[in-house]
């Protein structure tokens, strides 16, 4: 019976709310005294990332999500990379591929105890084409893959 209770607690612990996911991020940004534009950019990237901290948003998607200009995004990406918040690979512009971003989950305050997971079916990401995805990163990943073929 104790083992069953332990399993139930572990299952419940895996069901995260938005607050559970956002709290470490906001706390870490506050502790590091990140400037507003860098906070906005991290939040924008966070909106698109999968459970491993990987995302593929275009500059246009980031501009729409954050309200930042293209130049502000480019400038602040360089600052975030220089300070170890993320890394990225440049997408093939000839194929209209967006960059691939790798957020540093440890630096963002995520540990094994509060791993980022997609939210339950209550909130799906609805893409511009009307398709529904568990998280935005799944959509962008499929879009990147379709451009490669």
């Amino acid at each position: 019976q104790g083992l069953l209770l332990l399993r139930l607690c572990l299952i419940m612990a895996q069901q995260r709310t938005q607050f559970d996911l956002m709290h470490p991020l906001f706390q870490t940004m506050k502790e590091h005294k990140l400037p507003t534009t860098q906070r906005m950019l991290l939040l924008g990237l966070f909106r698109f990332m999968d459970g491993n901290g990987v995302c593929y948003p275009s500059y246009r998607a980031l501009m729409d999500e954050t309200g930042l200009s293209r130049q502000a995004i480019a400038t602040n990406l360089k600052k975030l990379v220089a300070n170890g918040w993320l890394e990225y690979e440049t997408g093939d512009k000839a194929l209209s591929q967006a960059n691939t971003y790798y957020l540093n989950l440890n630096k963002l305050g995520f540990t094994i105890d509060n791993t980022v997971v997609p939210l339950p079916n209550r909130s799906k990401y609805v893409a511009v084409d009307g398709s529904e995805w568990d998280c935005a990163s799944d959509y962008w990943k499929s879009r990147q893959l379709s451009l490669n073929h």
Side-chain angles (χ1 to χ4, degrees):
Q1 188 173 4
L3 187 56
L4 180 61
L5 183 60
L6 178 60
R7 283 186 184 159
L8 181 59
C9 288
L10 288 173
I11 290 169
M12 290 175 65
Q14 291 175 354
Q15 295 180 352
R16 302 286 180 197
T17 65
Q18 283 185 317
F19 176 79
D20 294 327
L21 298 176
M22 297 303 287
H23 182 72
L25 177 61
F26 277 97
Q27 187 63 33
T28 301
M29 291 188 302
K30 178 180 165 185
E31 289 170 2
H32 285 85
K33 298 181 174 143
L34 280 180
T36 304
T37 50
Q38 290 177 35
R39 289 182 191 210
M40 288 301 299
L41 187 52
L42 279 175
L43 289 170
L45 289 165
F46 187 83
R47 167 84 168 83
F48 293 101
M49 77 176 197
D50 65 12
N52 296 312
V54 180
C55 58
Y56 312 86
S58 65
Y59 264 63
R60 170 56 53 204
L62 287 172
M63 290 166 60
D64 290 344
E65 195 68 32
T66 64
L68 298 173
S69 68
R70 184 177 193 81
Q71 183 60 44
I73 290 171
T75 299
N76 286 285
L77 275 174
K78 290 175 186 170
K79 292 176 182 178
L80 290 169
V81 168
N83 290 310
W85 291 96
L86 61 96
E87 296 176 357
Y88 71 94
E89 295 173 5
T90 304
D92 186 341
K93 301 306 176 217
L95 297 175
S96 299
Q97 286 183 337
N99 297 336
T100 301
Y101 299 94
Y102 305 93
L103 281 73
N104 182 339
L105 294 180
N106 288 329
K107 187 156 186 167
L108 290 171
F110 294 99
T111 64
I112 202 77
D113 296 328
N114 60 359
T115 302
V116 180
V117 294
L119 293 174
N121 289 342
R122 304 177 272 169
S123 76
K124 294 255 186 198
Y125 173 75
V126 180
V128 292
D129 64 5
S131 59
E132 291 187 3
W133 301 81
D134 287 331
C135 64
S137 182
D138 292 340
Y139 167 73
W140 291 106
K141 186 184 298 183
S142 74
R143 193 158 178 262
Q144 288 284 83
L145 292 173
S146 70
L147 291 172
N148 287 334
H149 296 104

